[in-house]
Amino acid sequence: MAATTPPRDRPQRRSGFYDLLPLVAVFALLFAVSFLPPDTSRAEVDRLGRLSVCMPTLYPPLVTGNADAPGFEVELMQEVADRLGWRLNIVSNAAMGRDFNPRNWRINRAQCQVLAGGIALNTTTQSFLDTSAPHMVTGWALVAPPGETIETVESPVGFLAGLTGLNRIELGQYLRHQEISASIVNDARALRSGLETGEFSAAITEALLAQQTFGDTDYEITVLGEPLERFSLGIGFWKGDMTLKRAVEGVLADLWDDGTMAEIAGTYGLDADILCPPSATGCA
């Protein structure tokens, strides 16, 4: 009995309509895009001749409130505005710096075109804003007498939330794991006073703020590492304001190239290790 050969699968002929579907989808997308409003963010700032930047009321060394030395990011944005032919208008917002979630700052486009003064480039912030490349990195820091570490300090420690975007929930879990209780304070003066009077055995706050608050003391400042995350800092833009973002980022690149960025950082005693030049790794 002769073996029978199974019939080969016959190729299915696709109709011309299905072959054209990808092309139709592309044209439909391009057609839909043509109805989107144009990005006039840069043109609007040019028209006004003024760049409004929302910043915390006080967040040294980024925003100091001192007219003679207004802060690292104030001077940074002043350079950006000067080089693009704009006037700089600082819009102070006390809520920035008191809450890590930028949605709670109650800031909108009518108030400012750009946000600066300690914008952490994490997923929470970037769900709300477009952001520049990082120009600085920071994280939670322990301030304690020489020789003390996070493993040896005793409760309570003073805690100041400080910089926007840092994950306080993650820090709280970490401190509980270390069996450390924290007393929350509302400003840097209370944090320093509590440590100096012995009310706290140590202090925990954001690294830049720790450097600014305790840099003239004998206390050791240690940026806490794993499992706590370190954060990159940059500039925030409203979603879709790409023409303005490209203009500002172009000036920031020039500031790196001609040494102005490092010069401004040196004015405020910011260590080169925390700066993130374009070629740096570990800052993105």
Side-chain angles (χ1 to χ4, degrees):
M1 185 175 179
T4 58
T5 303
R8 295 182 177 178
D9 293 337
R10 298 181 62 184
Q12 299 286 326
R13 290 195 62 188
R14 300 175 59 190
S15 72
F17 174 77
Y18 288 108
D19 291 338
L20 291 174
L21 268 182
L23 191 60
V24 171
V26 170
F27 277 107
L29 180 61
L30 293 174
F31 183 71
V33 168
S34 68
F35 287 95
L36 293 176
D39 176 6
T40 60
S41 54
R42 162 69 189 271
E44 182 63 14
V45 177
D46 283 336
R47 185 184 68 80
L48 296 172
R50 182 187 68 230
L51 178 68
S52 293
V53 182
C54 284
M55 287 187 169
T57 304
L58 190 66
Y59 199 86
L62 305 182
V63 182
T64 67
N66 181 344
D68 296 329
F72 173 74
E73 293 211 353
V74 175
E75 292 204 30
L76 202 61
M77 296 312 301
Q78 185 67 63
E79 280 288 338
V80 170
D82 289 346
R83 296 192 184 199
L84 290 170
W86 303 329
R87 289 181 291 107
L88 179 65
N89 176 40
I90 301 295
V91 180
S92 297
N93 185 307
M96 297 175 70
R98 290 208 303 255
D99 194 303
F100 71 93
N101 188 348
R103 292 186 182 278
N104 294 335
W105 299 340
R106 300 184 183 278
I107 295 175
N108 55 50
R109 288 177 180 271
Q111 296 171 293
C112 52
Q113 294 96 14
V114 172
L115 290 81
I119 302 300
L121 308 187
N122 57 22
T123 54
T124 300
T125 300
Q126 290 171 334
S127 69
F128 183 65
L129 301 169
D130 282 322
T131 55
S132 69
H135 56 253
M136 185 179 292
V137 66
T138 187
W140 295 117
L142 174 73
V143 184
E148 294 280 0
T149 67
I150 193 66
E151 288 80 16
T152 62
V153 296
E154 297 180 355
S155 298
V157 301
F159 170 67
L160 177 61
L163 187 69
T164 56
L166 290 176
N167 191 332
R168 288 182 289 179
I169 296 176
E170 180 186 58
L171 176 66
Q173 293 171 341
Y174 175 74
L175 293 180
R176 283 194 293 274
H177 180 73
Q178 299 291 335
E179 298 183 345
I180 296 173
S181 63
S183 295
I184 299 174
V185 299
N186 294 322
D187 57 57
R189 182 178 300 178
L191 188 67
R192 177 165 173 161
S193 174
L195 184 56
E196 291 178 336
T197 60
E199 180 182 358
F200 310 132
S201 65
I204 294 177
T205 188
E206 180 270 325
L208 290 173
L209 184 55
Q211 182 176 344
Q212 184 73 18
T213 307
F214 298 96
D216 62 341
T217 70
D218 293 330
Y219 293 112
E220 289 185 350
I221 301 173
T222 305
V223 181
L224 299 173
E226 298 288 346
L228 298 176
E229 187 177 3
R230 301 181 74 190
F231 292 89
S232 303
L233 304 181
I235 306 297
F237 305 86
W238 299 112
K239 289 285 188 184
D241 287 358
M242 300 309 294
T243 54
L244 178 61
K245 179 174 180 284
R246 284 194 289 268
V248 173
E249 285 193 311
V251 175
L252 293 176
D254 292 341
L255 296 178
W256 282 114
D257 291 342
D258 64 18
T260 303
M261 186 75 80
E263 182 180 342
I264 298 174
T267 302
Y268 293 92
L270 297 176
D271 194 293
D273 290 341
I274 68 169
L275 297 180
C276 299
S279 59
T281 59
C283 289

